[in-house]
Amino acid sequence: MADDRMSAALTPFVARLSAYDLGPDPAGAHRGLPSSTVSITIPGHDSLDIGWAGRPGSRRRLRAVVAGLHLHAAELRQQGYARGVWLTLSPLGVRALLGLPASALAGHVAELADVVPAMADLPERLAACRSWPERRALVERRLLDGLARHDGRADLSRMRATLAALSGTGRVREAAELLGCSRRHLSGTVRAELGVTPKEYQRLVRFETARGRLVAAAGAGEISLAAVAAASGFADQAHFTREWRSMAGCTPTEWLRAEGPDARSQKFKTSPPLGRTMGT
């Protein structure tokens, strides 16, 4: 069995590194949901057709996609048998590994080669690998190279504490009090680093938490939207559904029907690549 343990130097910055397989359906589309991470999706041999859901003019074809923090769903359309490598980075990981703040990517999907010229050849190098362990090792080496180039340029401890405070509280005021700063200072700091407001970041964290609970409940065959809403910090089920529709472009029930555990078991061999971040 392959050793999938990640290098200890990368674990603070990489939330996930995995293979993906969207299956053989030539007409398939995947909805990339908002999350608190930045994603990089590298298909095996073909480019990706991606854009923002409900905005046909935003569609682009990219060889490898970097998707920043976003509060609305993206849509990926597969061509043929779509498979490749998917990784998600914490906002701090973007600066430490890629050398730029997450704010530079917020609300955008971009070509990996444009964001990180040093990784321009990564899609072709991955396509030449013969196994997942080879591909994983190659990606880790490139990330470690980036860490060596960029990690020493900034002290990330303060921002790490800031994101922890925002994730652990339901109100921006509470996070500011924990950090011992004003809401104005907190807002300026978060906007500069992430490209979203503190409240928007909390929305992303809450939505991501709710998505995880919804998937777990569906997998256990015990779906209760009211229970998921309450456990995730929403005022009630109606609030949860409104927020999900705003951020995902559909209701939780509609999303589960199209891309939940039951749907994936029929269409996918592994988790689809953009379910957490994106699109991205």
Side-chain angles (χ1 to χ4, degrees), residues 28-113:
H30 171 68
R31 189 180 298 267
L33 301 184
S35 84
S36 64
T37 57
V38 170
S39 69
I40 300 177
T41 307
I42 307 173
H45 295 281
D46 198 7
S47 56
L48 296 171
D49 180 0
I50 190 168
W52 301 110
R55 291 165 49 190
S58 69
R59 302 207 66 83
R60 302 173 64 192
R61 183 166 286 281
L62 302 174
R63 180 62 185 93
V65 175
V66 182
L69 298 180
H70 54 95
L71 281 86
H72 302 286
E75 185 180 70
L76 180 151
R77 295 177 184 173
Q78 68 181 66
Q79 298 292 324
Y81 212 121
R83 60 181 61 166
V85 175
W86 174 52
L87 63 150
T88 60
L89 309 179
S90 70
L92 298 184
V94 179
R95 183 177 286 281
L97 303 175
L98 307 187
L100 68 162
S103 59
L105 301 170
H108 298 287
V109 292
E111 182 68 63
L112 176 62

Side-chain angles (χ1 to χ4, degrees), residues 205-215 228 232 234 240 244:
V205 171
R206 184 176 61 184
F207 179 88
E208 189 173 54
T209 299
R211 190 196 72 88
R213 289 194 171 106
L214 186 65
V215 169
V228 170
S232 304
F234 292 92
F240 172 48
W244 190 282

Side-chain angles (χ1 to χ4, degrees), residues 144-169:
L144 288 169
D145 289 345
L147 184 63
R149 285 194 302 270
H150 307 299
D151 190 32
R153 296 185 182 179
D155 180 6
L156 304 178
S157 59
R158 182 63 178 174
M159 183 54 63
R160 185 176 289 109
T162 296
L163 299 186
L166 287 171
S167 300
T169 58

Side-chain angles (χ1 to χ4, degrees), residues 144-195:
L144 288 169
D145 289 345
L147 184 63
R149 285 194 302 270
H150 307 299
D151 190 32
R153 296 185 182 179
D155 180 6
L156 304 178
S157 59
R158 182 63 178 174
M159 183 54 63
R160 185 176 289 109
T162 296
L163 299 186
L166 287 171
S167 300
T169 58
R171 298 180 182 276
V172 176
R173 173 181 55 79
E174 295 172 354
E177 290 175 353
L178 281 175
L179 294 165
C181 66
S182 68
R183 290 186 59 174
R184 182 175 181 179
H185 176 79
L186 177 59
S187 178
T189 299
V190 173
R191 276 182 174 274
E193 187 65 26
L194 271 62

Side-chain angles (χ1 to χ4, degrees), residues 254-279:
E254 289 169 340
W255 180 79
L256 279 175
R257 187 179 304 120
E259 300 200 47
D262 289 343
R264 287 205 306 268
S265 67
Q266 297 176 25
K267 296 189 291 184
F268 308 133
K269 293 181 180 179
T270 61
S271 298
L274 303 180
R276 287 188 60 191
T277 57
M278 199 162 101

Side-chain angles (χ1 to χ4, degrees), residues 193-204:
E193 187 65 26
L194 271 62
V196 297
T197 68
K199 176 52 67 177
E200 288 171 338
Y201 181 75
Q202 287 182 323
R203 286 180 66 197
L204 289 171

